[in-house]
Amino acid sequence: MSAPSDLQRAVERVGQALELDGIPRMPARVFAYILAGNQETYTARDFAEGLQASPAAVSGAMRYLADTRLVVKERAPRSRGDLFRLGDNDVWATIVRARLPLLEHMQAAIGEAITLLEKQPPGETHLGLARLRETWEFFEFARTDLSGMLERWTRWKAERIAAGEAQVSPA
């Protein structure tokens, strides 16, 4: 067996970090392969060969990544196969932006829980109500700050690109 390439080692390191963040192992590895690889689009065969994984494992990973919108699936021209790519060049901003509605949904659910517990007699839900109110405030802060952060990121990246300092591509 040959020694792993630098790309394979990079994929495994990023894949492990994504796995620790809650992405299942094979989707994490495939996503890391897309991030670290030099191609714009990939086939299932590219992933199977590059990751030394079974076609079945790759297929499940691609379904997960497409369903969670981490990658875009499109038909390959003049082929029955599919191609997979990142949705855009600014993948992390896109991922964060896609999570904002989830924060809003969570905050709304917490707000409903607060309303329900406020109807309870005083003292019965004091501690839980206080924790829920703090949680609601946290989500309010996070939503507001993330929106501002995305705006600041866009400006920061544009300034670095204009100055020739960035190692990133424009979105």
Side-chain angles (χ1 to χ4, degrees):
M1 181 174 212
S2 63
S5 69
D6 290 338
L7 174 60
Q8 289 169 324
R9 287 196 307 273
V11 165
E12 293 307 323
R13 285 191 180 136
V14 173
Q16 286 174 346
L18 292 168
E19 191 177 352
L20 286 173
D21 198 41
I23 297 177
R25 182 177 182 158
M26 185 53 70
R29 292 179 71 219
V30 170
F31 189 67
Y33 194 83
I34 292 173
L35 286 175
N38 284 326
Q39 296 174 208
E40 286 293 322
T41 60
Y42 295 87
T43 65
R45 177 178 284 176
D46 293 331
F47 296 125
E49 290 173 1
L51 297 170
Q52 299 174 348
S54 74
V58 167
S59 176
M62 295 315 306
R63 189 172 29 262
Y64 174 91
L65 292 170
D67 288 348
T68 56
R69 296 186 180 101
L70 290 172
V71 300
V72 174
K73 174 180 156 180
E74 54 194 32
R75 272 288 182 216
R78 297 176 299 280
S79 169
R80 289 191 210 172
D82 293 317
L83 294 175
F84 300 92
R85 64 176 174 78
L86 296 175
D88 63 32
N89 289 333
D90 202 359
V91 66
W92 292 106
T94 301
I95 289 169
V96 170
R97 197 171 289 110
R99 299 304 188 254
L100 287 173
L102 299 174
L103 293 176
E104 292 167 1
H105 177 74
M106 182 64 117
Q107 189 178 21
I110 292 165
E112 292 170 12
I114 289 169
T115 300
L116 290 170
L117 292 181
E118 286 174 334
K119 295 177 185 176
Q120 300 298 310
E124 287 188 25
T125 60
H126 179 71
L127 185 57
L129 186 56
R131 287 192 295 244
L132 284 173
R133 284 179 175 149
E134 182 175 352
T135 301
W136 190 94
E137 290 295 334
F138 173 81
F139 279 99
E140 179 66 14
F141 172 82
R143 278 186 332 101
T144 303
D145 199 56
L146 283 175
S147 295
M149 180 196 70
L150 289 168
E151 292 170 12
R152 289 188 308 275
W153 161 247
T154 300
R155 284 192 309 271
W156 185 83
K157 187 169 93 166
E159 290 167 4
R160 293 194 31 105
I161 290 169
E165 299 170 358
Q167 297 285 324
V168 297
S169 58

